[in-house]
């Protein structure tokens, strides 16, 4: 009787794992929705990025929006958002300080008071290490960093 119990338990665990894996996969409709969200990014103000990227919540691996990875280098910023099913949204933005910046136009550090001048200039979607979609200024070296 214990062998039947163990077999039933293993069968149940396998079924649950298969159901979870299926829930995690992105469908073609999901990919189309993600692409529509990405298309909205070009020209979108960085200051209101949470409004834009929060639309990706149904496709996130976990609470990824709370832990965005952003790399700032000179006037260019880049970041990524990891999604389910080995997918990832990549984006770039440019920070150009306004003429009336508190420390002058040469200041390249983001200033919360003047963030309205920062806009997204590039976006892409990768899945399984392959480029699915790109739009705008998304450098090849940045894409290559995220390919498997």
């Amino acid at each position: 009787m214990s062998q039947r119990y163990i077999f039933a338990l293993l069968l149940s665990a396998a079924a649950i794992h298969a159901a979870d894996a299926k829930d995690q996969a992105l469908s073609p409709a999901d990919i189309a929705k993600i692409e529509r969200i990405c298309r909205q990014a070009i020209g979108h103000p960085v200051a209101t990025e949470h409004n834009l990227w929060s639309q990706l919540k149904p496709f996130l691996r976990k609470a990824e929006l709370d832990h965005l990875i952003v790399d700032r280098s000179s006037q260019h910023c880049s970041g990524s958002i990891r999604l389910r099913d080995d997918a990832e949204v990549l984006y770039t933005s440019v920070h150009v300080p306004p003429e009336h910046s508190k420390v002058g136009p040469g200041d390249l550090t983001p200033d919360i008071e003047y963030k309205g001048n920062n806009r997204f200039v590039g976006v892409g979607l990768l899945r399984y290490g392959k480029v699915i979609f790109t739009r705008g200024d998304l450098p090849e070296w940045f894409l290559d960093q995220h390919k498997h």
Side-chain angles (χ1 to χ4, degrees):
M1 186 154 144
S2 64
Q3 287 180 338
R4 285 185 186 172
Y5 175 75
I6 292 172
F7 180 72
L9 184 63
L10 289 174
L11 189 59
S12 296
I16 290 169
H17 179 70
D20 285 346
K22 184 179 177 188
D23 289 342
Q24 295 298 319
L26 294 173
S27 70
D30 292 337
I31 297 295
K33 288 177 190 174
I34 294 167
E35 284 186 26
R36 279 195 297 276
I37 295 165
C38 289
R39 281 184 174 77
Q40 297 172 29
I42 303 299
H44 191 89
V46 173
T48 60
E49 70 180 337
H50 193 272
N51 296 340
L52 174 68
W53 300 137
S54 65
Q55 297 175 72
L56 294 173
K57 281 185 181 180
F59 313 110
L60 295 177
R61 287 176 42 177
K62 295 178 184 174
E64 291 291 328
L65 288 181
D66 297 331
H67 306 287
L68 291 182
I69 298 168
V70 179
D71 179 33
R72 290 184 175 85
S73 161
S74 179
Q75 291 183 343
H76 297 83
C77 302
S78 58
S80 63
I81 302 169
R82 294 184 301 175
L83 306 177
R84 296 188 328 251
D85 200 16
D86 198 24
E88 188 172 19
V89 170
L90 307 177
Y91 57 89
T92 57
S93 62
V94 176
H95 173 73
V96 181
E99 294 288 329
H100 60 281
S101 176
K102 289 181 178 181
V103 281
D107 175 30
L108 299 180
T109 57
D111 185 343
I112 193 69
E113 190 173 26
Y114 299 110
K115 258 192 167 173
N117 63 335
N118 300 332
R119 304 278 173 180
F120 290 106
V121 295
V123 66
L125 174 63
L126 276 67
R127 186 174 181 205
Y128 306 125
K130 298 192 186 307
V131 177
I132 304 295
F133 165 84
T134 63
R135 186 166 184 196
D137 183 20
L138 204 61
E140 197 65 35
W141 63 264
F142 184 52
L143 287 169
D144 289 344
Q145 285 181 342
H146 294 269
K147 292 178 183 177
H148 305 307

